Amino acid sequence: MKETLSLGRIAGIRVGLNWSVLVIVALVAVVLADGRLPTVHPGHSAWVYWALALLTAVVFLASLLAHELAHAVVARRNGVEVDGITLWMLGGAARLHTEAPTPGAELRIAAVGPLTSAVAGGLFAGLAVWLDALHVSGLLVESVAWLAAINIVLAVFNALPAAPLDGGRLLRAFLWYRTGDRLRATRGASAAGRALGWFMVVTGFAAVLFAGNLSGMWAALIGWFLIVTATAEARQAELRGVLKGVPVSRVMTPDPVTVPETMTAGRFLGQAPFDRYRHSAFPVVTPDGGVAGLVTLGIVNQVPAEARSSTTMGDVMRPLPEVETTAPGDMVVDLVPRLQESRERRALVLDGGRLVGIVTLADISRVVTWLTAATRPRS
Ligand SMILES: [Zn+2]
């Protein structure tokens, strides 16, 4: 989930919003301002309902953030690097850079999320009771009570034993602890995730078709997300199993064809003195042989025809700091997620600053095919 708006750092962890989080704000605001609040406490003006509903939606986002922050902080304490947190349409996602090292760590990282939501739910419930006793406006009490209920629902839903929910991670930690086999544990949690996902899709659509309940669409959407994510997680785990211990040097294309920084776009496209049809991306080198960046055919092709004789590779290339780089001794397993996120889907292989190769996702999937063919022959 890409970050659209950065909120800076909280407890040292990068926090951002994806634009789709507006869907949550809108849904919560409509449900409260157009339904719940005027039904329970009629007689106020519309703007009071809407202002309170929007405020409640923002507090709700903050409680989602607290849930994800709890995951992130505990992950970091357990030696797992955290890339950041993004809030989006279906809640929050803490992006962990590496996997939990032990079943115990996995359990702690997963459990603290629903626990935080449950505690938040309890605190809001207590606050609602207290405000009610103080005879504060019933509207406000209603909003706080709604926050209590939604946080408890979130705690319970997230604790369901199905990947990629927190409960799925707990299930995986348990299976991993029992069998000592992380891959098998992941398969089990993923199967449970797909089962729950299909259940939600079917019941969601049934609610829409037979009961005319439109919120079934939301359940179906979340179910679909569970199916897709659980499947991807299992595939990623299989990949990890196959690529375990394989260094980048075994997968990369060594000594790639490079282009000089000073070469113009016109020359690159027209009469490049290299075997250009075999490749679509080229490292750009400086006159002294250092690596400056990466160009792709796609990038050069965007240079307008009239500017091609004056635009050089140095002008249009992605400069080195923006390009994924790796070392020949790095593990391919760790590179895959970075490549999948990267724009060019390839990395330059540098050995002490010197260019020794280039590696693409296509190279890696070819190697995966080879390795699976070798270890699992067709019978
Ligand atoms: Zn969670």
Side-chain angles (χ1 to χ4, degrees):
M1 206 41 55
K2 288 263 182 309
E3 188 181 287
T4 320
L5 176 71
S6 172
L7 297 182
R9 281 172 186 276
I10 300 176
I13 290 153
R14 239 181 68 187
V15 175
L17 300 178
N18 178 268
W19 65 268
S20 63
V21 81
L22 289 174
V23 175
I24 297 187
V25 175
L27 266 178
V28 171
V30 169
V31 162
L32 287 175
D34 209 37
R36 183 90 192 138
L37 295 179
T39 311
V40 186
H41 299 281
H44 297 271
S45 69
W47 77 265
V48 172
Y49 293 128
W50 281 101
L52 187 59
L54 278 174
L55 183 68
T56 308
V58 171
V59 177
F60 174 54
L61 284 191
S63 58
L64 282 180
L65 185 60
H67 173 120
E68 297 305 326
L69 269 175
H71 282 309
V73 168
V74 173
R76 232 178 20 183
R77 267 199 213 142
N78 282 274
V80 176
E81 265 180 71
V82 181
D83 289 336
I85 293 172
T86 311
L87 294 182
W88 69 298
M89 185 169 70
L90 296 183
R95 296 184 307 279
L96 305 185
H97 195 74
T98 46
E99 296 227 288
T102 62
E106 171 107 63
L107 180 131
R108 287 187 290 276
I109 298 168
V112 72
L115 220 57
T116 304
S117 292
V119 168
L123 288 177
F124 282 124
L127 182 63
V129 170
W130 185 60
L131 288 175
D132 194 40
L134 289 180
H135 300 293
V136 175
S137 154
L139 265 183
L140 192 61
V141 175
E142 189 62 37
S143 293
V144 178
W146 183 86
L147 284 168
I150 194 80
N151 270 291
I152 289 165
V153 167
L154 272 182
V156 171
F157 177 70
N158 271 301
L160 292 176
L165 300 174
D166 296 328
R169 311 248 180 275
L170 292 176
L171 174 63
R172 186 168 83 138
F174 173 71
L175 294 174
W176 182 10
Y177 174 73
R178 280 284 298 274
T179 63
D181 185 341
R182 174 151 52 178
L183 184 56
R184 253 176 71 190
T186 307
R187 280 191 201 132
S190 165
R194 284 193 301 274
L196 176 64
W198 280 114
F199 175 77
M200 290 180 71
V201 168
V202 170
T203 50
F205 276 119
V208 175
L209 289 178
F210 302 118
N213 186 349
L214 278 180
S215 61
M217 285 307 293
W218 193 246
L221 182 67
I222 293 174
W224 184 248
F225 170 74
L226 293 186
I227 296 167
V228 170
T229 313
T231 308
E233 277 183 8
R235 200 172 298 147
Q236 192 86 10
E238 303 282 348
L239 200 69
R240 284 187 164 271
V242 171
L243 288 174
K244 207 167 136 190
V246 177
V248 168
S249 59
R250 265 183 68 193
V251 176
M252 69 182 191
T253 304
D255 306 318
V257 180
T258 60
V259 294
E261 207 176 18
T262 50
M263 179 184 274
T264 63
R267 200 162 132 67
F268 176 92
L269 292 170
Q271 41 182 319
F274 45 79
D275 192 2
R276 67 183 183 278
Y277 300 131
R278 284 174 51 87
H279 308 287
S280 57
F282 304 86
V284 179
V285 291
T286 55
D288 60 7
V291 197
L294 181 78
V295 286
T296 62
L297 185 55
I299 294 174
V300 181
N301 210 17
Q302 278 172 16
V303 178
E306 63 276 12
R308 282 180 180 168
S309 58
S310 57
T311 307
T312 65
M313 296 299 102
D315 298 332
V316 293
M317 69 179 184
R318 296 240 183 283
L320 196 56
E322 290 175 24
V323 178
E324 284 298 335
T325 58
T326 181
D330 284 354
M331 290 299 132
V332 175
V333 164
D334 302 324
L335 182 63
V336 171
R338 284 205 283 140
L339 287 190
Q340 281 167 339
E341 298 252 305
S342 76
R343 223 171 348 180
E344 267 70 52
R345 308 201 137 227
R346 40 174 58 79
L348 297 179
V349 188
L350 303 178
D351 191 1
R354 197 172 55 87
L355 178 74
V356 293
I358 189 165
V359 58
T360 68
L361 270 180
D363 293 333
I364 295 172
S365 63
R366 190 178 58 241
V367 170
V368 167
T369 311
W370 271 106
L371 288 174
T372 40
T375 53
R376 273 185 243 151
R378 281 161 177 264
S379 53

